[in-house]
Amino acid sequence: MAECSRIMLYSALLPCFSPKSHWGERHLRVSRKHQVHCSVSAGATQASVPWGCEIDSLENASALQRWLSDSGLPPQKMGIERVDVGERGLVALKNIRKGEKLLFVPPSLVITPDSEWSCSEAGEVLKRNSVPDWPLLATYLISEASLMESSRWSNYISALPRQPYSLLYWSQAELDRYLEASQIRERAIERINNVIGTYNDLRLRIFSKYPDLFPDEVFNIESFKWSFGILFSRLVRLPSMDGKVALVPWADMLNHSCDVETFLDYDKTSKGIVFMTDRPYQPGEQVFISYGKKSNGELLLSYGFVPKEGANPSDSVELSLSLKKSDASYKEKLELLKKYGLSASQCFPIQITGWPLELMAYAYLAVSPSSMRGKFEEMAAAASNNTTTKKDLRYPEIEEQALQFILDSCESSISKYNKFLQASGSLDLDVTSPKLLNRRLFLKQLAVDLCTSERRILFRAQYILRRKLRDIRAGELRALKIFNGFRNFFQ
């Protein structure tokens, strides 16, 4: 599926609905009274929506192409086929040059928040209540899907996967079992809770008041998991259309490659959604775009795949750092962190090439003694990516302690990855259903691939940290020897 580097994928973009709250808030509040406790496992035991198709269905995809062509899509240089990378993909039918524009999907075949509803009354209710783009589009998809052949988009919806590859469909037990070492587990749980919270608020504030327009048998948590899974994996933001978010049929059959940087946008000259190739393709080759500069964990979170180890130059792993409650200045440091939008435990991305300056600033704050109280605020400010304050701070008197603090956290994470990877060969997969067994093996392999790639980055960071500490300590030892030499000389 296609997604550009400007797509908004984070759960922070799913604010809860409440007439008294602002949709721009960063976190959802799940209504306890109406909370839905949802098992998100897939496979043989997973309830699924009655529309869409199997992930590798070519029949529905071919019907989609015929409908698009009849509805104004120009002749294409690509066709839909089963592929090695992804279940389905677009393959070159003719020679394609580097720098060539492809697709040209007209705006009339694109789903946006402004699209006309088949059930106009339902759309008017949501817009009167100022429901923002993401929940609006999620509800729109369900509404159109439930109409089956009566919807203009029936051919498109029929070609969408019945169960998108997404961590939304992993059960709590599967997340705990397979992703216990990775911080992406927390991101997945947060996203699942955000989707549930959004559904709960819509149900409480709108659906329950208009049951004829939004019946429970259609607008339920399973259908919302499906629609949000589609949005997370397929929604694009089009810079040349004032940043409008959109679902672009046909374009969303394109798969991701870490080796390309091209993305979707609106072309004002041709008045269509296009992308420009950054490499040539021969007939029979799969054509790729970039889903953005995302880590392997982020790709797994939204799309359900993990690139080969070392293949993703944007790969990173989140390292968690925490203040020590035994620190005499703990409360003072915590208040300053909160002032700049941080917490007592904070995650920072580490790449194979290094780590952000914010991580080092947080480490300085964590190890700084009370005698450096006057520096606490500038450390806390530098640790936040929401400030423009100077980031490249240096405190030579505590640099060794700060590096050791990071190394300790790094090695603690490595030990968790080692434990999981060593046990992965003996995980209990005792299930009676072959289909469910295949699913468990598939999830396990994804988890092993993710943990292997994240541990690789941590190993690199461990090596760099140990070398820096060795150099500092070697320098201190040389200085001590020189000092002792002078002292002996003058005795």
Side-chain angles (χ1 to χ4, degrees):
M1 137 40 275
E3 184 164 348
C4 74
S5 59
R6 284 126 169 116
I7 296 180
M8 307 178 349
L9 281 178
Y10 299 100
S11 55
L13 296 174
L14 302 176
C16 69
F17 172 73
S18 172
K20 297 181 180 179
S21 67
H22 295 287
W23 283 88
E25 292 174 350
R26 291 187 58 82
H27 298 289
L28 291 172
R29 298 183 295 277
V30 180
S31 170
R32 293 183 182 275
K33 182 177 179 181
H34 296 276
Q35 184 167 357
V36 173
H37 296 280
C38 171
S39 172
V40 290
S41 62
T45 61
Q46 173 65 37
S48 61
V49 294
W51 49 76
C53 65
E54 294 301 317
I55 198 77
D56 60 350
S57 171
L58 290 184
E59 180 180 352
N60 289 21
S62 298
L64 169 66
Q65 185 175 14
R66 289 193 297 272
W67 172 74
L68 289 170
S69 298
D70 293 341
S71 302
L73 182 70
Q76 297 289 299
K77 285 191 171 184
M78 300 173 293
I80 184 75
E81 292 184 15
R82 286 193 178 91
V83 291
D84 293 333
V85 179
E87 302 285 352
R88 305 177 294 187
L90 295 186
V91 173
L93 302 176
K94 302 177 181 179
N95 286 318
I96 295 174
R97 303 185 308 276
K98 179 181 179 180
E100 186 171 352
K101 290 182 180 179
L102 298 174
L103 293 178
F104 301 100
V105 180
S108 61
L109 294 176
V110 175
I111 295 175
T112 73
D114 300 322
S115 293
E116 183 178 353
W117 290 60
S118 296
C119 179
S120 58
E121 191 176 352
E124 289 168 5
V125 167
L126 293 184
K127 291 178 181 180
R128 273 202 310 270
N129 284 276
S130 302
V131 176
D133 291 349
W134 276 70
L136 181 73
L137 284 170
T139 310
Y140 179 85
L141 271 181
I142 298 168
S143 178
E144 296 298 316
S146 68
L147 296 173
M148 301 295 186
E149 299 297 326
S150 299
S151 170
R152 180 192 176 215
W153 302 105
S154 62
N155 283 286
Y156 174 56
I157 292 169
S158 295
L160 293 174
R162 188 172 295 119
Q163 191 176 93
Y165 282 151
S166 167
L167 291 189
L168 287 176
Y169 285 90
W170 289 40
S171 69
Q172 182 72 53
E174 287 165 345
L175 291 170
D176 292 343
R177 187 182 203 183
Y178 298 127
L179 296 180
E180 60 180 337
S182 177
Q183 289 292 332
I184 209 67
R185 171 185 169 276
E186 297 302 320
R187 293 268 299 277
I189 292 172
E190 179 184 15
R191 177 168 290 186
I192 292 167
N193 287 335
N194 286 345
V195 170
I196 294 172
T198 298
Y199 165 70
N200 285 339
D201 277 334
L202 286 170
R203 185 179 63 160
L204 176 65
R205 309 294 181 179
I206 299 178
F207 298 167
S208 62
K209 295 178 181 178
Y210 301 91
D212 292 340
L213 295 176
F214 306 103
D216 286 343
E217 61 267 24
V218 174
F219 297 88
N220 51 54
I221 189 59
E222 289 303 327
S223 60
F224 267 83
K225 271 195 312 178
W226 171 80
S227 61
F228 271 112
I230 294 297
L231 295 185
F232 280 126
S233 61
R234 293 172 182 270
L235 198 67
V236 299
R237 179 173 289 278
L238 302 169
S240 298
M241 292 185 74
D242 298 323
K244 180 176 289 187
V245 291
L247 290 169
V248 186
W250 191 243
D252 59 9
M253 294 293 176
L254 287 159
N255 286 315
H256 168 81
S257 171
C258 299
D259 298 326
V260 302
E261 297 184 356
T262 187
F263 56 88
L264 300 178
D265 199 4
Y266 177 69
D267 180 54
K268 295 180 180 179
T269 302
S270 64
K271 294 181 171 53
I273 310 300
V274 305
F275 75 98
M276 184 180 292
T277 59
D278 56 6
R279 51 151 290 192
Y281 293 92
Q282 301 295 320
E285 282 190 279
Q286 184 177 181
V287 181
F288 295 99
I289 64 168
S290 172
Y291 292 0
K293 295 181 178 180
K294 296 175 172 61
S295 69
N296 287 0
E298 290 171 321
L299 291 171
L300 175 60
L301 181 62
S302 292
Y303 308 101
F305 71 87
V306 177
K308 292 180 180 178
E309 182 181 358
N312 182 6
S314 299
D315 195 16
S316 64
V317 58
E318 292 186 353
L319 181 66
S320 178
L321 301 182
S322 300
L323 294 181
K324 294 181 179 179
K325 290 187 177 180
S326 58
D327 188 336
S329 303
Y330 175 82
K331 289 185 178 179
E332 184 178 356
K333 292 178 180 179
L334 179 57
E335 287 303 313
L336 288 169
L337 287 172
K338 288 181 177 179
K339 177 180 177 179
Y340 293 100
L342 302 175
S343 62
S345 293
Q346 197 68 36
C347 289
F348 296 90
I350 294 181
Q351 291 188 296
I352 202 74
T353 53
W355 48 82
L357 295 171
E358 289 85 353
L359 180 146
M360 196 66 198
Y362 192 101
Y364 279 136
L365 179 64
V367 303
S368 55
S370 299
S371 59
M372 295 183 70
R373 181 171 282 104
K375 301 290 185 180
F376 285 177
E377 180 149 9
E378 70 176 8
M379 294 176 188
S384 172
N385 58 13
N386 295 324
T387 64
T388 57
T389 187
K390 181 183 177 183
K391 304 286 185 180
D392 192 12
L393 304 179
R394 292 293 302 274
Y395 304 99
E397 65 271 35
I398 57 171
E399 184 165 5
E400 180 180 351
Q401 296 97 307
L403 291 173
Q404 185 63 55
F405 174 74
I406 299 171
L407 178 60
D408 290 344
S409 297
C410 184
E411 292 183 335
S412 175
S413 291
I414 289 173
S415 68
K416 293 178 183 177
Y417 284 98
N418 287 341
K419 180 181 178 181
F420 168 74
L421 291 170
Q422 289 167 4
S424 62
S426 58
L427 286 177
D428 179 18
L429 294 172
D430 184 18
V431 291
T432 56
S433 166
K435 186 174 182 179
L436 188 55
L437 176 60
N438 289 339
R439 168 187 161 73
R440 296 278 174 83
L441 290 171
F442 177 63
L443 297 189
K444 176 183 169 183
Q445 188 59 56
L446 284 174
V448 168
D449 291 346
L450 176 66
C451 290
T452 300
S453 68
E454 291 186 338
R455 186 180 65 168
R456 169 177 173 265
I457 297 171
L458 289 171
F459 275 148
R460 175 65 178 169
Q462 179 190 48
Y463 169 78
I464 294 172
L465 288 162
R466 285 178 173 177
R467 189 179 64 185
K468 285 179 176 288
L469 285 166
R470 183 189 63 210
D471 291 345
I472 289 174
R473 289 160 183 166
E476 291 174 347
L477 183 60
R478 286 195 297 271
L480 181 61
K481 288 181 178 179
I482 292 172
F483 174 78
N484 287 336
F486 274 111
R487 185 174 63 180
N488 293 335
F489 178 78
F490 288 107
Q491 283 181 347

PDB file of all heavy atoms in Angstrom, residues 439-456:
ATOM      1  N   ARG A 439      -0.418 -18.294  11.554  1.00  0.00           N
ATOM      2  CA  ARG A 439      -0.465 -16.910  12.030  1.00  0.00           C
ATOM      3  C   ARG A 439       0.550 -16.698  13.155  1.00  0.00           C
ATOM      4  O   ARG A 439       1.301 -15.728  13.160  1.00  0.00           O
ATOM      5  CB  ARG A 439      -1.881 -16.575  12.506  1.00  0.00           C
ATOM      6  CG  ARG A 439      -1.944 -15.259  13.279  1.00  0.00           C
ATOM      7  CD  ARG A 439      -3.292 -14.999  13.902  1.00  0.00           C
ATOM      8  NE  ARG A 439      -3.183 -14.009  14.960  1.00  0.00           N
ATOM      9  CZ  ARG A 439      -2.989 -12.723  14.763  1.00  0.00           C
ATOM     10  NH1 ARG A 439      -2.861 -12.264  13.538  1.00  0.00           N
ATOM     11  NH2 ARG A 439      -2.888 -11.892  15.782  1.00  0.00           N
ATOM     12  N   ARG A 440       0.551 -17.608  14.119  1.00  0.00           N
ATOM     13  CA  ARG A 440       1.481 -17.466  15.242  1.00  0.00           C
ATOM     14  C   ARG A 440       2.933 -17.495  14.765  1.00  0.00           C
ATOM     15  O   ARG A 440       3.770 -16.732  15.243  1.00  0.00           O
ATOM     16  CB  ARG A 440       1.233 -18.590  16.248  1.00  0.00           C
ATOM     17  CG  ARG A 440      -0.141 -18.539  16.902  1.00  0.00           C
ATOM     18  CD  ARG A 440      -0.179 -17.556  18.066  1.00  0.00           C
ATOM     19  NE  ARG A 440      -1.522 -17.411  18.600  1.00  0.00           N
ATOM     20  CZ  ARG A 440      -2.074 -18.233  19.485  1.00  0.00           C
ATOM     21  NH1 ARG A 440      -1.399 -19.290  19.917  1.00  0.00           N
ATOM     22  NH2 ARG A 440      -3.293 -18.018  19.935  1.00  0.00           N
ATOM     23  N   LEU A 441       3.222 -18.396  13.838  1.00  0.00           N
ATOM     24  CA  LEU A 441       4.580 -18.454  13.297  1.00  0.00           C
ATOM     25  C   LEU A 441       4.937 -17.159  12.578  1.00  0.00           C
ATOM     26  O   LEU A 441       6.063 -16.666  12.659  1.00  0.00           O
ATOM     27  CB  LEU A 441       4.718 -19.650  12.349  1.00  0.00           C
ATOM     28  CG  LEU A 441       4.704 -21.033  13.009  1.00  0.00           C
ATOM     29  CD1 LEU A 441       4.625 -22.117  11.943  1.00  0.00           C
ATOM     30  CD2 LEU A 441       5.945 -21.228  13.870  1.00  0.00           C
ATOM     31  N   PHE A 442       3.953 -16.601  11.849  1.00  0.00           N
ATOM     32  CA  PHE A 442       4.160 -15.354  11.126  1.00  0.00           C
ATOM     33  C   PHE A 442       4.444 -14.204  12.094  1.00  0.00           C
ATOM     34  O   PHE A 442       5.393 -13.431  11.908  1.00  0.00           O
ATOM     35  CB  PHE A 442       2.921 -15.062  10.278  1.00  0.00           C
ATOM     36  CG  PHE A 442       2.979 -13.757   9.526  1.00  0.00           C
ATOM     37  CD1 PHE A 442       3.936 -13.539   8.552  1.00  0.00           C
ATOM     38  CD2 PHE A 442       2.062 -12.756   9.787  1.00  0.00           C
ATOM     39  CE1 PHE A 442       3.986 -12.345   7.852  1.00  0.00           C
ATOM     40  CE2 PHE A 442       2.101 -11.563   9.100  1.00  0.00           C
ATOM     41  CZ  PHE A 442       3.067 -11.350   8.126  1.00  0.00           C
ATOM     42  N   LEU A 443       3.625 -14.092  13.159  1.00  0.00           N
ATOM     43  CA  LEU A 443       3.837 -13.034  14.140  1.00  0.00           C
ATOM     44  C   LEU A 443       5.181 -13.197  14.840  1.00  0.00           C
ATOM     45  O   LEU A 443       5.890 -12.223  15.089  1.00  0.00           O
ATOM     46  CB  LEU A 443       2.710 -13.043  15.175  1.00  0.00           C
ATOM     47  CG  LEU A 443       1.286 -12.773  14.687  1.00  0.00           C
ATOM     48  CD1 LEU A 443       0.353 -12.593  15.867  1.00  0.00           C
ATOM     49  CD2 LEU A 443       1.227 -11.557  13.779  1.00  0.00           C
ATOM     50  N   LYS A 444       5.497 -14.429  15.157  1.00  0.00           N
ATOM     51  CA  LYS A 444       6.772 -14.697  15.819  1.00  0.00           C
ATOM     52  C   LYS A 444       7.940 -14.279  14.944  1.00  0.00           C
ATOM     53  O   LYS A 444       8.897 -13.655  15.416  1.00  0.00           O
ATOM     54  CB  LYS A 444       6.861 -16.185  16.164  1.00  0.00           C
ATOM     55  CG  LYS A 444       8.193 -16.602  16.766  1.00  0.00           C
ATOM     56  CD  LYS A 444       8.203 -18.108  16.993  1.00  0.00           C
ATOM     57  CE  LYS A 444       9.592 -18.602  17.344  1.00  0.00           C
ATOM     58  NZ  LYS A 444       9.630 -20.071  17.492  1.00  0.00           N
ATOM     59  N   GLN A 445       7.861 -14.580  13.651  1.00  0.00           N
ATOM     60  CA  GLN A 445       8.946 -14.215  12.746  1.00  0.00           C
ATOM     61  C   GLN A 445       9.069 -12.701  12.622  1.00  0.00           C
ATOM     62  O   GLN A 445      10.171 -12.149  12.587  1.00  0.00           O
ATOM     63  CB  GLN A 445       8.727 -14.832  11.360  1.00  0.00           C
ATOM     64  CG  GLN A 445       9.918 -14.665  10.425  1.00  0.00           C
ATOM     65  CD  GLN A 445      11.189 -15.286  10.989  1.00  0.00           C
ATOM     66  OE1 GLN A 445      11.211 -16.464  11.315  1.00  0.00           O
ATOM     67  NE2 GLN A 445      12.236 -14.480  11.141  1.00  0.00           N
ATOM     68  N   LEU A 446       7.920 -12.001  12.558  1.00  0.00           N
ATOM     69  CA  LEU A 446       7.955 -10.536  12.531  1.00  0.00           C
ATOM     70  C   LEU A 446       8.648  -9.999  13.779  1.00  0.00           C
ATOM     71  O   LEU A 446       9.469  -9.080  13.701  1.00  0.00           O
ATOM     72  CB  LEU A 446       6.529  -9.984  12.447  1.00  0.00           C
ATOM     73  CG  LEU A 446       5.815 -10.068  11.099  1.00  0.00           C
ATOM     74  CD1 LEU A 446       4.365  -9.615  11.257  1.00  0.00           C
ATOM     75  CD2 LEU A 446       6.514  -9.216  10.049  1.00  0.00           C
ATOM     76  N   ALA A 447       8.297 -10.563  14.939  1.00  0.00           N
ATOM     77  CA  ALA A 447       8.881 -10.104  16.197  1.00  0.00           C
ATOM     78  C   ALA A 447      10.375 -10.373  16.238  1.00  0.00           C
ATOM     79  O   ALA A 447      11.158  -9.524  16.688  1.00  0.00           O
ATOM     80  CB  ALA A 447       8.187 -10.785  17.373  1.00  0.00           C
ATOM     81  N   VAL A 448      10.782 -11.546  15.770  1.00  0.00           N
ATOM     82  CA  VAL A 448      12.219 -11.877  15.738  1.00  0.00           C
ATOM     83  C   VAL A 448      12.959 -10.913  14.808  1.00  0.00           C
ATOM     84  O   VAL A 448      14.044 -10.408  15.147  1.00  0.00           O
ATOM     85  CB  VAL A 448      12.424 -13.336  15.290  1.00  0.00           C
ATOM     86  CG1 VAL A 448      13.889 -13.602  14.959  1.00  0.00           C
ATOM     87  CG2 VAL A 448      11.946 -14.297  16.382  1.00  0.00           C
ATOM     88  N   ASP A 449      12.384 -10.634  13.638  1.00  0.00           N
ATOM     89  CA  ASP A 449      13.029  -9.716  12.697  1.00  0.00           C
ATOM     90  C   ASP A 449      13.155  -8.320  13.299  1.00  0.00           C
ATOM     91  O   ASP A 449      14.194  -7.661  13.155  1.00  0.00           O
ATOM     92  CB  ASP A 449      12.227  -9.651  11.392  1.00  0.00           C
ATOM     93  CG  ASP A 449      12.296 -10.941  10.593  1.00  0.00           C
ATOM     94  OD1 ASP A 449      13.166 -11.776  10.896  1.00  0.00           O
ATOM     95  OD2 ASP A 449      11.473 -11.117   9.677  1.00  0.00           O
ATOM     96  N   LEU A 450      12.085  -7.852  13.966  1.00  0.00           N
ATOM     97  CA  LEU A 450      12.125  -6.523  14.569  1.00  0.00           C
ATOM     98  C   LEU A 450      13.153  -6.467  15.686  1.00  0.00           C
ATOM     99  O   LEU A 450      13.975  -5.545  15.743  1.00  0.00           O
ATOM    100  CB  LEU A 450      10.742  -6.156  15.123  1.00  0.00           C
ATOM    101  CG  LEU A 450      10.679  -4.816  15.865  1.00  0.00           C
ATOM    102  CD1 LEU A 450      10.930  -3.657  14.917  1.00  0.00           C
ATOM    103  CD2 LEU A 450       9.339  -4.647  16.575  1.00  0.00           C
ATOM    104  N   CYS A 451      13.104  -7.430  16.576  1.00  0.00           N
ATOM    105  CA  CYS A 451      14.021  -7.419  17.723  1.00  0.00           C
ATOM    106  C   CYS A 451      15.474  -7.563  17.288  1.00  0.00           C
ATOM    107  O   CYS A 451      16.372  -6.970  17.887  1.00  0.00           O
ATOM    108  CB  CYS A 451      13.637  -8.522  18.712  1.00  0.00           C
ATOM    109  SG  CYS A 451      12.087  -8.184  19.582  1.00  0.00           S
ATOM    110  N   THR A 452      15.716  -8.343  16.241  1.00  0.00           N
ATOM    111  CA  THR A 452      17.077  -8.498  15.732  1.00  0.00           C
ATOM    112  C   THR A 452      17.601  -7.169  15.190  1.00  0.00           C
ATOM    113  O   THR A 452      18.752  -6.783  15.444  1.00  0.00           O
ATOM    114  CB  THR A 452      17.126  -9.571  14.629  1.00  0.00           C
ATOM    115  OG1 THR A 452      16.676 -10.813  15.178  1.00  0.00           O
ATOM    116  CG2 THR A 452      18.538  -9.747  14.096  1.00  0.00           C
ATOM    117  N   SER A 453      16.746  -6.447  14.440  1.00  0.00           N
ATOM    118  CA  SER A 453      17.180  -5.172  13.868  1.00  0.00           C
ATOM    119  C   SER A 453      17.364  -4.113  14.952  1.00  0.00           C
ATOM    120  O   SER A 453      18.309  -3.312  14.896  1.00  0.00           O
ATOM    121  CB  SER A 453      16.181  -4.686  12.816  1.00  0.00           C
ATOM    122  OG  SER A 453      14.947  -4.317  13.398  1.00  0.00           O
ATOM    123  N   GLU A 454      16.487  -4.108  15.966  1.00  0.00           N
ATOM    124  CA  GLU A 454      16.618  -3.115  17.030  1.00  0.00           C
ATOM    125  C   GLU A 454      17.826  -3.430  17.915  1.00  0.00           C
ATOM    126  O   GLU A 454      18.540  -2.514  18.348  1.00  0.00           O
ATOM    127  CB  GLU A 454      15.328  -3.069  17.847  1.00  0.00           C
ATOM    128  CG  GLU A 454      14.166  -2.477  17.068  1.00  0.00           C
ATOM    129  CD  GLU A 454      12.909  -2.291  17.881  1.00  0.00           C
ATOM    130  OE1 GLU A 454      12.758  -2.983  18.918  1.00  0.00           O
ATOM    131  OE2 GLU A 454      12.066  -1.462  17.496  1.00  0.00           O
ATOM    132  N   ARG A 455      18.063  -4.699  18.186  1.00  0.00           N
ATOM    133  CA  ARG A 455      19.227  -5.064  18.996  1.00  0.00           C
ATOM    134  C   ARG A 455      20.522  -4.699  18.276  1.00  0.00           C
ATOM    135  O   ARG A 455      21.506  -4.291  18.916  1.00  0.00           O
ATOM    136  CB  ARG A 455      19.197  -6.561  19.318  1.00  0.00           C
ATOM    137  CG  ARG A 455      20.309  -6.991  20.272  1.00  0.00           C
ATOM    138  CD  ARG A 455      20.266  -8.468  20.574  1.00  0.00           C
ATOM    139  NE  ARG A 455      20.534  -9.276  19.405  1.00  0.00           N
ATOM    140  CZ  ARG A 455      20.780 -10.592  19.450  1.00  0.00           C
ATOM    141  NH1 ARG A 455      20.774 -11.225  20.624  1.00  0.00           N
ATOM    142  NH2 ARG A 455      20.996 -11.279  18.341  1.00  0.00           N
ATOM    143  N   ARG A 456      20.524  -4.832  16.958  1.00  0.00           N
ATOM    144  CA  ARG A 456      21.721  -4.463  16.168  1.00  0.00           C
ATOM    145  C   ARG A 456      22.103  -2.998  16.406  1.00  0.00           C
ATOM    146  O   ARG A 456      23.291  -2.663  16.556  1.00  0.00           O
ATOM    147  CB  ARG A 456      21.427  -4.707  14.692  1.00  0.00           C
ATOM    148  CG  ARG A 456      22.449  -4.148  13.716  1.00  0.00           C
ATOM    149  CD  ARG A 456      22.057  -4.523  12.295  1.00  0.00           C
ATOM    150  NE  ARG A 456      22.913  -3.886  11.305  1.00  0.00           N
ATOM    151  CZ  ARG A 456      22.622  -2.742  10.688  1.00  0.00           C
ATOM    152  NH1 ARG A 456      21.469  -2.129  10.966  1.00  0.00           N
ATOM    153  NH2 ARG A 456      23.445  -2.215   9.813  1.00  0.00           N
TER     154      ARG A 456
END
